[in-house]
Amino acid sequence: MSNSKIKLVRKLSMKKYREEFGLFVAEGLRLCEMALTCAEIEFGFYTESFLKSARQVELVSKLEKVTTLEKISDAEFSKITDTETPQGILLAVRQRLSAPEKVAEKNLIIVLDGVKDPGNVGTILRTAEAFDCGIILIDSADIFNPKVVRSSMGAIFSATSAKMSCENFLALMKSDGFEITAAVLDDTAEKYFCHDFTKKSAIVFGSEADGVSTEIFNASKKIFIPMRGTAESLNVATAAGIIISEAVRQNF
């Protein structure tokens, strides 16, 4: 199995091959443990050096019962890993996204509109999933990018998320009665903690460089995070965490 599967894993570092095969890579002890419980695993690799503890030995034993798992050398593993300090285990996992209509069953949806940094996408995904929010991605970093997967800390496996076009997103929100709220850098907007999030809400966070798209901007109510320091803006993942926590607080 080694040669063909190793070549496939290497290809999965690129978006076009992830889309072609419908797979992505989960790497490391914690992610692989989570994949075991809630993902469809195609195959995996581990190294002898990974087997350092009873927990790691147990994981390999459980994985061998549900998928094809092969032991390879550290040198071979170094050719397929995406991390600087690999732990010695990775899995090829089947991609899973939700239907947009399923996402719209949530009362609070987090929308990423052109968010390109994989670390930000993964962090927001983790935060949104932790608060049981739906997630919609519009022209953002690939949700199955290895950096997104790692920074999501396992949320990738259980998040209710969908990819949509801007046009389809706006149509869905209108048909399902959602209020669209955009986080913007504009002190004429409403302060985020004054906004009413108790209705069905879609909160949009835009591109790190350009903000939300014109179409969504024009269809949205505007909120902002007031700041007293000298910084002109916040990292989009930080801003998302602040606003999501307030929206969730209002609904407790």
Side-chain angles (χ1 to χ4, degrees), residues 56-72:
Q56 292 160 312
V57 171
E58 182 182 16
L59 173 60
V60 168
S61 177
K62 289 180 177 179
L63 285 169
E64 287 177 331
K65 295 175 182 178
V66 298
T67 192
T68 304
L69 197 67
E70 184 171 352
K71 182 165 67 174
I72 59 176

Side-chain angles (χ1 to χ4, degrees), residues 197-218:
F197 291 107
T198 58
K199 61 195 77 175
K200 293 172 70 174
S201 299
I203 308 174
V204 184
F205 298 92
S207 158
E208 295 90 343
D210 303 316
V212 299
S213 59
T214 301
E215 296 85 352
I216 290 178
F217 185 91
N218 291 336

Side-chain angles (χ1 to χ4, degrees), residues 85-243:
T85 55
Q87 296 181 34
I89 189 167
L90 64 76
L91 302 172
V93 180
R94 182 64 52 188
Q95 295 184 11
R96 182 193 66 83
L97 286 169
S98 303
E101 294 75 17
K102 185 69 174 178
V103 178
E105 292 178 3
K106 304 287 187 180
N107 286 327
L108 182 61
I109 297 174
I110 307 307
V111 184
L112 305 188
D113 176 26
V115 178
K116 300 298 187 183
D117 182 82
N120 284 335
V121 171
T123 300
I124 296 172
L125 184 70
R126 180 183 182 186
T127 303
E129 195 281 335
F131 289 108
D132 194 30
C133 303
I135 302 110
I136 289 175
L137 297 101
I138 302 171
D139 192 30
S140 293
D142 179 24
I143 194 171
F144 300 111
N145 178 295
K147 292 181 180 178
V148 174
V149 175
R150 285 198 301 273
S151 55
S152 80
M153 295 297 289
I156 188 75
F157 300 124
S158 52
T160 304
S161 57
K163 293 190 284 188
M164 299 185 71
S165 68
C166 180
E167 180 182 7
N168 289 342
F169 161 71
L170 292 173
L172 179 65
M173 294 300 96
K174 182 177 181 180
S175 66
D176 281 37
F178 276 82
E179 178 182 81
I180 303 173
T181 306
V184 299
L185 290 173
D186 186 346
D187 59 10
T188 64
E190 184 179 20
K191 294 176 181 176
Y192 78 97
F193 48 76
C194 296
H195 187 75
D196 179 11
F197 291 107
T198 58
K199 61 195 77 175
K200 293 172 70 174
S201 299
I203 308 174
V204 184
F205 298 92
S207 158
E208 295 90 343
D210 303 316
V212 299
S213 59
T214 301
E215 296 85 352
I216 290 178
F217 185 91
N218 291 336
S220 304
K221 292 191 175 181
K222 318 300 186 299
I223 58 173
F224 81 109
I225 300 173
M227 296 180 291
R228 293 183 176 180
T230 58
E232 293 183 355
S233 64
L234 294 172
N235 172 275
V236 65
T238 301
I242 292 170
I243 294 174

Side-chain angles (χ1 to χ4, degrees), residues 11-22 142:
K11 286 182 176 181
L12 294 178
S13 64
M14 291 183 281
K15 181 181 178 180
K16 69 175 183 178
Y17 290 115
R18 290 195 296 270
E19 292 179 342
E20 177 182 341
F21 294 103
D142 179 24

Side-chain angles (χ1 to χ4, degrees), residues 19-30:
E19 292 179 342
E20 177 182 341
F21 294 103
L23 299 172
F24 69 99
V25 173
E27 185 174 349
L29 173 62
R30 182 62 181 142

